[in-house]
Amino acid sequence: MEIRILEKEEQQSIYDDAYKMLEAADNEFVPPLSFRSSSTQRNFSENLKSRDGIRQYFEQLKNQRFAVAYEDGALIAFVSYKENYSCVEIPPKELPNIYISTLIVSPSARGKGVTKALYGRLFSEYENINIFTRTWSTNIAHIKILEKYEFKVIQVIKDDRGNGIDTVYFKKVHK
């Protein structure tokens, strides 16, 4: 397995495969990616009324950086992230930082340490830089991974993604 952080000018080479991975994983996200306008969308209840499709979400990802995993020359996973991102939950005092917006591992590569390798690459590239992400409260598998890597909950937005489904923001705690 090869893990790389792509330079901006290299990213176009993965767009077709990344788009296919987004389509395949659409309904694994809450809400589905096809119901979102961007990877940093803040109000999930409004967009559930109009389905925009994966294209709008993907167009926003193109403005981000990518860490990728290849196996035998094929893209098997990617993480998209923004550098120096701030919002209500991640105030400017937390700069510099990276905000991990999307993580997708192809079903055939799951359970093989791909997520661990991607996070490890980001941690080494951005050592001593604040790292943030968010997920939904019922995404137990990802929350366990985040806790394993010493991410701590910094904000919970109750029922943000539906009745009983909260948005949970995490920050990587540096040693």
Side-chain angles (χ1 to χ4, degrees):
M1 176 175 28
E2 177 188 3
I3 305 293
R4 295 186 49 223
I5 292 179
L6 299 179
E7 297 298 327
K8 278 285 204 185
E9 56 274 2
E10 295 179 279
Q11 291 184 178
Q12 191 169 359
S13 68
I14 66 153
Y15 286 165
D16 289 342
D17 291 333
Y19 186 82
K20 289 174 188 169
M21 289 178 74
L22 285 169
E23 284 185 313
D26 180 27
N27 290 312
E28 296 177 13
F29 286 77
V30 176
L33 299 174
S34 57
F35 284 95
R36 301 183 191 193
S37 60
S38 78
S39 63
T40 57
Q41 182 174 332
R42 295 187 34 92
N43 185 339
F44 292 101
S45 60
E46 286 182 12
N47 242 32
L48 290 175
K49 297 174 187 166
S50 65
R51 189 176 172 112
D52 295 310
I54 298 290
R55 181 58 55 191
Q56 186 175 3
Y57 186 89
F58 182 64
E59 290 302 319
Q60 293 294 314
L61 285 190
K62 288 180 175 181
N63 297 317
Q64 299 179 27
R65 298 284 312 270
F66 283 81
V68 296
Y70 294 103
E71 191 167 76
D72 298 324
L75 183 69
I76 60 168
F78 72 84
V79 170
S80 62
Y81 62 95
K82 296 179 83 112
E83 295 174 306
N84 298 317
Y85 177 69
S86 65
C87 63
V88 171
E89 295 79 15
I90 306 170
K93 71 177 182 165
E94 297 287 358
L95 297 173
N97 69 37
I98 66 167
Y99 169 72
I100 298 169
S101 68
T102 308
L103 167 65
I104 295 182
V105 178
S106 66
S108 64
R110 293 178 187 168
K112 297 179 180 178
V114 178
T115 299
K116 177 181 178 180
L118 283 166
Y119 274 127
R121 182 66 178 96
L122 288 172
F123 298 158
S124 66
E125 181 75 15
Y126 295 97
E127 189 175 7
N128 298 318
I129 299 290
N130 295 319
I131 300 175
F132 296 88
T133 193
R134 71 177 179 185
T135 192
W136 56 97
S137 57
T138 58
N139 190 356
I140 303 304
H142 194 218
I143 290 171
K144 285 182 180 180
I145 290 168
L146 294 172
E147 290 171 345
K148 178 181 177 182
Y149 292 113
E150 299 180 329
F151 280 80
K152 300 294 182 200
V153 174
I154 61 166
Q155 176 92 25
V156 176
I157 303 172
K158 289 286 190 197
D159 298 326
D160 187 46
R161 299 181 188 222
N163 189 22
I165 305 174
D166 308 331
T167 295
V168 185
Y169 281 82
F170 290 86
K171 177 182 179 182
K172 171 82 169 107
V173 176
H174 296 288
K175 292 193 175 211

